[in-house]
Amino acid sequence: MKNLLSAVFIVSLLLISCSKKETPGFAAEQEVRMQYDTAAVDSFSSGATSIDIVRQIRMSSQNYQDSIKQAAKLQKEEQKLKEELEKENKKKLEDEKKKADTEKKQKSSEIPSATGTKSE
């Protein structure tokens, strides 16, 4: 009986000592996420950048992208205007050529009639 009682005592000590222990404060604690004023993981590293500077960089890059889009738009408008001017110039040249051709035809048709009247 002494052996049985001592064996139960030793087994119970082993079960108690080997069981999972939870601290009372562990369940109450939650993961706390701290918000820092730097963008780098380590705020004391040499590459750490302030949130304000990161915001300025993003804003300036957005402004840069906007200016590129605006410049491309202006360039397209200028190209359209140049094409329209070229078309107008071509039309004017064609009109002038047509007028010159009609004048030549009129002059050439007047010349034989003028020579015909002189000879008669």
Side-chain angles (χ1 to χ4, degrees), residues 6-20:
S6 62
V8 170
F9 180 70
I10 291 174
V11 169
S12 64
L13 278 177
L14 285 174
L15 288 175
I16 292 172
S17 66
C18 293
S19 67
K20 252 187 184 178

Side-chain angles (χ1 to χ4, degrees), residues 87-97:
K87 287 180 182 178
E88 289 178 10
N89 288 338
K90 286 181 182 179
K91 287 182 181 179
K92 287 181 182 178
L93 288 173
E94 288 176 4
D95 290 340
E96 289 176 6
K97 285 182 182 179

Side-chain angles (χ1 to χ4, degrees), residues 31-38 41:
E31 183 179 334
V32 178
R33 188 165 211 180
M34 299 295 291
Q35 293 195 4
Y36 297 102
D37 62 343
T38 56
V41 174

Side-chain angles (χ1 to χ4, degrees), residues 4-104:
L4 183 62
L5 193 55
S6 62
V8 170
F9 180 70
I10 291 174
V11 169
S12 64
L13 278 177
L14 285 174
L15 288 175
I16 292 172
S17 66
C18 293
S19 67
K20 252 187 184 178
K21 292 184 180 179
E22 293 186 18
T23 58
F26 182 74
E29 288 182 28
Q30 295 178 355
E31 183 179 334
V32 178
R33 188 165 211 180
M34 299 295 291
Q35 293 195 4
Y36 297 102
D37 62 343
T38 56
V41 174
D42 182 13
S43 63
F44 298 106
S45 68
S46 61
T49 308
S50 173
I51 293 293
D52 294 330
I53 294 174
V54 171
R55 187 179 326 122
Q56 288 176 355
I57 291 170
R58 287 183 184 150
M59 289 173 62
S60 66
S61 66
Q62 182 66 33
N63 291 340
Y64 177 72
Q65 295 296 328
D66 291 342
S67 66
I68 288 176
K69 288 178 184 177
Q70 188 177 14
K73 191 175 184 180
L74 288 174
Q75 194 173 22
K76 285 181 182 179
E77 288 178 7
E78 289 177 2
Q79 189 176 7
K80 286 180 182 179
L81 290 174
K82 286 181 182 179
E83 289 175 358
E84 289 176 5
L85 287 174
E86 288 177 3
K87 287 180 182 178
E88 289 178 10
N89 288 338
K90 286 181 182 179
K91 287 182 181 179
K92 287 181 182 178
L93 288 173
E94 288 176 4
D95 290 340
E96 289 176 6
K97 285 182 182 179
K98 288 180 182 178
K99 287 180 183 178
D101 289 341
T102 55
E103 288 176 4
K104 284 182 183 178

